[in-house]
Amino acid sequence: TASDTVSIEEKVEKLELTFAYSAHRSCTKCIALMTERNGDLMASGGTDEVIRVYNLKTKREIGELDRHTDQILSLEFIGRKHLISGSMDGGLCLWQTKDWKCVHTLKGHKPGPVTGIGVHPSGNVAFSTSSDNSLRMWDLTSGRPASRNRLRDFKQLGLPTWSLNGDTYSVVGDDRTVLIFSIDNENGKPEASIVYRSRVNATCFLGNDFLATGCED
């Protein structure tokens, strides 16, 4: 309603900058926020191959994580205990937040960067996308690969997204085709596909039954 719109605009006008930091020596490529139980951590990754971690309550930098050998492209917190990162070097790292040790290094995307990471709502598995036209599922408890699905019709995959209940997930192929999969379908084929006329820049499940997309047009 109009009254709701006005109230939102008034809140936006009252926003104030409370914390700013020159985090990376070059471009910042991704940011992740710990959202579970009012989490207080944020992480950022950049083309300088470094992950930086911040405490949002104290508004201070905690430190940096240095394990990848190329720019950081993907970050996602898993509950309050872990952070997973993906890099241009084709590898993923699983970090535990209590001491920021890398507990697992996951490799398998060759050649090509890790273009996206989607963590299942359970936090036990995740899948990653790359320019090697494959989806890789990972067992995060053991740090071992669980499955691989090669989609030969596409050169690059990205924007992995899970539904709220974890029964459905989606990826974007070659920037313009949204592919929707069911976790119960063992043949690796999508349940549905949607082709757009322009580049798909963002996707988000609204609950379990709807998928929102944002395009360049």
Side-chain angles (χ1 to χ4, degrees):
T1 64
S3 59
D4 292 334
T5 303
V6 171
S7 63
I8 292 173
E9 291 176 348
E10 290 176 348
K11 290 180 180 179
V12 171
E13 290 178 356
K14 294 179 181 179
L15 290 176
E16 295 182 0
L17 178 66
T18 60
F19 175 65
Y21 190 82
S22 181
H24 298 277
R25 293 186 294 274
S26 51
C27 177
T28 300
K29 300 292 289 186
C30 52
I31 292 175
L33 180 67
M34 179 186 286
T35 58
E36 185 171 316
R37 292 180 295 176
N38 299 318
D40 53 4
L41 298 180
M42 184 181 75
S44 65
T47 56
D48 55 3
E49 307 173 9
V50 171
I51 302 167
R52 293 187 179 274
V53 184
Y54 312 90
N55 187 312
L56 297 181
K57 290 185 178 179
T58 62
K59 299 181 177 61
R60 293 181 179 275
E61 180 185 0
I62 296 175
E64 64 179 46
L65 309 177
D66 186 4
R67 186 67 173 258
H68 291 288
T69 59
D70 210 327
Q71 56 184 292
I72 314 300
L73 300 179
S74 304
L75 288 170
E76 189 166 348
F77 278 98
I78 307 169
R80 296 179 63 88
K81 295 183 178 180
H82 293 93
L83 171 72
I84 190 169
S85 59
S87 170
M88 183 74 79
D89 61 17
L92 298 93
C93 290
L94 185 65
W95 312 83
Q96 57 186 18
T97 59
K98 66 178 181 180
D99 54 14
W100 296 110
K101 289 183 179 179
C102 179
V103 293
H104 294 300
T105 299
L106 313 175
K107 292 187 177 294
H109 288 295
K110 296 180 181 180
V114 176
T115 56
I117 303 171
V119 177
H120 189 269
S122 68
N124 295 325
V125 296
F127 73 97
S128 57
T129 56
S130 180
S131 58
D132 62 359
N133 67 24
S134 72
L135 293 173
R136 285 188 172 269
M137 195 75 69
W138 306 93
D139 184 335
L140 298 181
T141 57
S142 65
R144 299 180 64 86
S147 66
R148 180 186 183 188
N149 185 8
R150 173 154 284 179
L151 303 176
R152 299 184 183 276
D153 292 336
F154 301 94
K155 294 181 178 179
Q156 179 166 305
L157 302 170
L159 298 179
T161 308
W162 286 96
S163 63
L164 191 62
N165 60 11
D167 290 342
T168 308
Y169 60 94
S170 69
V171 298
V172 176
D174 291 342
D175 297 329
R176 298 193 178 192
T177 303
V178 176
L179 305 169
I180 302 172
F181 298 83
S182 170
I183 196 70
D184 296 324
N185 191 343
E186 297 181 357
N187 64 18
K189 295 182 180 180
E191 301 287 324
S193 62
I194 309 169
V195 180
Y196 291 82
R197 291 181 294 179
S198 63
R199 178 188 176 97
V200 180
N201 290 327
T203 61
C204 178
F205 271 96
L206 307 177
N208 301 314
D209 300 322
F210 297 94
L211 178 68
T213 59
C215 304
E216 285 195 352
D217 61 1

